[in-house]
Amino acid sequence: MNRTNLFILLIFLIGLAACHVEDKKTSNVTKFPEKKEIKVTVIKTAPEILAPEEMIIMNDQIWVFQSKKERLFDVFELPDCKHIFSTGRKGQGPNEFIFPIGRTLQIHHTGFTILDANALKFITPQPDGSLEVTHTVKTFDHLAVNGFIRLDDSLYCAFTGCATGSTSDCEYQMIDLARKKTIEFSSYPNLTTKEYEGDQRCQIYYKHLTAIQGKRKIAAFYSFFKFFRIYSYDGVLEQEVHVKIPPYQSDNVENWKKRMIFYGRPVSTEKYIYVPCMGNEIQVWDWEGNPVIQYTLDQTFVTFDVCENTNRIFLISAKEDDHDKIFSFDLMH
């Protein structure tokens, strides 16, 4: 190999090892074009919601995941939220779960998927209420409990550093099982005056991911900053948004007892991203990073989902005295 070819190969390898660096559009948002104060509708139901972790809406039913219960899922019928059955067991059986992780719950065209330990299970609910594991996919070699998301049936993403076993300076690792290809992408943002490394950097810049297959886009909302990024499925950073609506940054982000939690796990549709903020707020954004509306609720909640069939949002409270209630309100945008 001559010196010219060797130099070209070296540059290529350096490019593979580095995080993707792209031109991106950065914006500062200081207000929403519309704000609504919401008094939620309280729907009485059976006292089955004890320690809710996640919920999804499918087949005109609300499925509430609770890993601490003997039955993992409690199912409620829409629109009256009547409890109809409980299903799903922990165990070693073919249709049972070893270590299901609720925040990896995602709708699939035959039912839903959930990460069970380090294997992704594709679940199809049966007419009798039982759950059938139709197939299982091994994605990452490690237990990717942080940031795991299914982008499509062969493409998966998780955090580097504190999740994938990588020591890379990139935020994410993406694995394409069909192409047998792995990439790492996105440099960390610089949102504080201090530089962080390793697990501490991963914790301070913790975020919640959502994706939309139709647009092939990923959105990442940061827990301790009012800040989010939008990427393509190729790992290209397309947009980053600083939400300058006070309060928008913790006074002491290093102190986990004092730092404020802003964003939680988002819910996405083809048009919009719905992200919970500060316990009683839902912000709505479009997939270009533009603000749409801010809903401020008279109740706090721990998890929610959007029902496009009824144009409503349904929410679950974490309060012990609300274990027999489901909240809802009409969308106004």
Side-chain angles (χ1 to χ4, degrees), residues 48-54 64-74 76:
E48 300 290 341
I49 303 172
L50 304 179
E53 296 168 49
E54 293 291 342
V64 181
F65 175 78
Q66 303 183 84
S67 64
K68 293 180 174 62
K69 292 187 67 176
E70 181 180 353
R71 293 286 188 169
L72 296 171
F73 297 93
D74 284 290
F76 302 83

Side-chain angles (χ1 to χ4, degrees), residues 4-206:
T4 300
N5 288 340
L6 182 62
F7 177 77
I8 293 172
L9 177 62
L10 180 61
I11 294 298
F12 176 74
L13 292 174
I14 292 173
L16 287 180
C19 301
H20 288 195
V21 179
E22 313 86 10
D23 293 332
K24 61 182 181 296
K25 181 180 178 183
T26 301
S27 61
N28 294 304
V29 173
T30 58
K31 64 179 181 179
F32 279 82
E34 192 172 4
K35 297 173 69 174
K36 294 291 184 182
E37 302 285 333
I38 299 296
K39 183 175 178 61
V40 301
T41 299
V42 180
I43 305 171
K44 281 274 193 177
T45 187
E48 300 290 341
I49 303 172
L50 304 179
E53 296 168 49
E54 293 291 342
M55 67 172 286
I56 55 173
I57 294 176
M58 61 178 182
N59 303 326
D60 293 323
Q61 297 170 343
I62 295 175
W63 287 60
V64 181
F65 175 78
Q66 303 183 84
S67 64
K68 293 180 174 62
K69 292 187 67 176
E70 181 180 353
R71 293 286 188 169
L72 296 171
F73 297 93
D74 284 290
V75 184
F76 302 83
E77 189 173 39
L78 290 175
D80 59 0
C81 295
K82 177 184 177 182
H83 184 263
I84 48 179
F85 62 89
S86 301
T87 188
R89 287 183 179 274
K90 287 185 178 180
Q92 302 287 337
N95 293 312
E96 295 179 332
F97 302 87
I98 300 170
F99 180 53
I101 303 169
R103 59 185 176 273
T104 65
L105 197 63
Q106 291 179 255
I107 292 290
H108 189 258
H109 65 272
T110 63
F112 61 90
T113 59
I114 189 168
L115 191 66
D116 189 19
N118 64 343
L120 187 72
K121 291 184 175 179
F122 287 71
I123 312 298
T124 300
Q126 301 301 300
D128 63 358
S130 63
L131 301 180
E132 179 183 350
V133 179
T134 55
H135 64 287
T136 300
V137 174
K138 183 73 176 293
T139 55
F140 297 95
D141 292 333
H142 53 278
L143 184 61
V145 295
N146 291 310
F148 180 91
I149 187 170
R150 172 178 53 82
L151 305 180
D152 60 36
D153 287 353
S154 65
L155 194 63
Y156 304 89
C157 187
F159 298 161
T160 57
C162 59
T164 62
S166 167
T167 57
S168 169
D169 285 332
C170 301
E171 288 189 278
Y172 308 102
Q173 185 178 94
M174 187 186 298
I175 183 168
D176 188 333
L177 298 181
R179 298 180 182 180
K180 298 181 179 179
K181 178 183 177 182
T182 299
I183 66 167
E184 293 182 342
F185 67 96
S186 182
S187 299
Y188 277 85
N190 185 16
L191 302 177
T192 68
T193 57
K194 184 177 177 180
E195 295 288 334
Y196 299 97
E197 295 182 354
D199 287 348
Q200 188 179 30
R201 178 176 62 180
C202 188
Q203 292 166 10
I204 287 174
Y205 289 113
Y206 193 87

